[in-house]
Amino acid sequence: MPLWLEILVRVVGVVAAFLVLPLVVGQTEHKVMAHMQGRLGPMYAGAYHGWAQLIADGIKFVQKEDVTPAAADRAVFRLAPMVALVPYLLVLLVIPLGPGDLVGQNLDVGLFFVLAVLGFGVVAVLMSAWASANKYSLLGGLRGAAQLLGYELPMVLAAASVAMAAGTLSLTGIVEAWRPWWLLWQLPALVVFFVAGLAEIRRPPFDMPIADSELVFGYLTEYTGLRFAFFLLAEYVGIVVIAALTTVLFLGGWKGPFDDQLGWLWTLVKIFAVAFVVIWFRVAYPRLREDQLQRLCWLVLVPVSLGQLVLTAAVRVAL
């Protein structure tokens, strides 16, 4: 296959995953929450089991008026939704779907690249908060920045633990080095990474930056129509990315029965299983207060991730 054609196929595959997987997760969330909370509305659009609910939501967003506040910094205000999406698209480029060439771009420092790019998400939050010229948006943005900067530390430490165990920063290499007994050995790092990931994408119970009961809708207050839909899409892409990284780093990625032929399927099954847990957390747990959120980060997750890092280093030296 010519190089240009191979690059085109990889890019198209990543973009397709970027567009399709978040929509599947969004549709799943509609149905899971409808069953868990006894919601009738999401079960009606399109008759059978409300299959057209996502389409109805898309039409609703398209029909809404695109409003920009008079005092807003228009260029920054309009650019923020795009900035929220770009980091997740770049991360999907380096996450392996299966063995061999089933990855957009296999980087030797893939984990370093992923963590660096994910840290850029705070920029979109601050852009939308400041440019909106709204005090509720600004308060939500400052909360979001404090939350994202705080939870990056335990997330990085947990990822460093599994990278140290595998002896590589390559995501493909980490999956190849993974063994089933790591589910016990790296369990604390798995919990820390998953919880910190929820906080990074600001999913309940870590949705203080958009607390509707006190901040209207935080840094998203002034957004309408498709711009708001882009932020919503970024949230669902974030779920896919965190679920995929959890799968690749801690759950063995494509490893499973007949993984030479069905490795990609095992990866997708694990991703959607983790995404289901993310949705379940939204339904099952109330929003944390700001003090509870910061206490969980600095007094629980950071010490646990540091302890796991020390344990991993000791095991590596012993072996």
Side-chain angles (χ1 to χ4, degrees):
M1 181 184 297
L3 180 60
W4 66 269
L5 182 58
E6 181 180 350
I7 294 175
L8 180 62
V9 169
R10 291 176 184 272
V11 170
V12 170
V14 171
V15 172
F18 176 77
L19 295 176
V20 173
L21 292 181
L23 297 181
V24 175
V25 170
Q27 181 76 345
T28 302
E29 182 171 62
H30 277 110
K31 305 311 168 189
V32 170
M33 292 182 63
H35 282 293
M36 287 185 171
Q37 298 180 330
R39 296 185 177 189
L40 299 179
M43 295 299 179
Y44 277 89
Y48 177 72
H49 212 66
W51 65 268
Q53 180 61 49
L54 206 61
I55 299 175
D57 287 342
I59 295 173
K60 176 186 69 175
F61 283 124
V62 170
Q63 290 178 332
K64 285 183 177 292
E65 183 180 2
D66 182 14
V67 178
T68 302
D73 185 326
R74 290 178 175 268
V76 177
F77 182 84
R78 293 173 177 175
L79 186 61
M82 299 296 102
V83 175
L85 281 168
V86 169
Y88 296 126
L89 176 59
L90 294 177
V91 169
L92 286 176
L93 280 170
V94 300
I95 295 179
L97 182 62
D101 294 330
L102 288 179
V103 57
Q105 180 62 48
N106 188 14
L107 297 180
D108 291 337
V109 290
L111 181 59
F112 177 82
F113 175 82
V114 164
L115 296 175
V117 171
L118 286 180
F120 192 73
V122 67
V123 176
V125 173
L126 291 175
M127 286 174 64
S128 59
W130 179 259
S132 294
N134 180 298
K135 62 182 180 182
Y136 296 111
S137 296
L138 182 58
L139 287 172
L142 294 177
R143 283 185 179 183
Q147 178 173 319
L148 293 176
L149 292 175
Y151 277 85
E152 275 183 10
L153 179 57
M155 188 176 187
V156 170
L157 291 174
S161 173
V162 74
M164 184 184 298
T168 178
L169 288 174
S170 167
L171 295 178
T172 300
I174 290 174
V175 176
E176 291 173 347
W178 183 89
R179 297 294 180 268
W181 65 277
W182 285 21
L183 289 172
L184 295 177
W185 177 36
Q186 295 293 326
L187 181 59
L190 165 60
V191 174
V192 170
F193 186 88
F194 178 73
V195 172
L198 283 182
E200 286 291 304
I201 59 177
R202 300 167 295 284
R203 286 283 299 185
F206 302 98
D207 57 339
M208 280 298 295
I210 54 175
D212 52 344
S213 59
E214 51 197 279
L215 295 180
V216 188
F217 212 55
Y219 60 91
L220 300 180
T221 298
E222 299 293 352
Y223 283 90
T224 59
L226 284 178
R227 299 188 197 282
F228 179 82
F230 286 151
F231 273 113
L232 196 61
L233 177 62
E235 178 180 327
Y236 287 126
V237 181
I239 294 175
V240 173
V241 166
I242 294 302
L245 288 175
T246 303
T247 296
V248 168
L249 295 177
F250 299 99
L251 301 179
W254 62 77
K255 290 192 173 180
F258 308 106
D259 50 19
D260 288 338
Q261 297 80 25
L262 300 177
W264 60 272
L265 181 59
W266 285 117
T267 302
L268 290 177
V269 168
K270 293 175 184 179
I271 288 174
F272 281 106
V274 176
F276 174 83
V277 176
V278 174
I279 296 170
W280 174 65
F281 264 63
R282 175 177 179 176
V283 177
Y285 290 93
R287 179 185 300 126
L288 296 176
R289 297 195 313 266
E290 185 67 23
D291 62 315
Q292 294 172 330
L293 186 144
Q294 295 296 341
R295 188 180 299 114
L296 174 63
C297 175
W298 295 105
L299 299 183
V300 178
L301 298 187
V302 171
V304 170
S305 58
L306 285 172
Q308 177 67 53
L309 201 60
V310 171
L311 173 63
T312 302
V315 172
R316 286 287 295 177
V317 170
L319 295 177

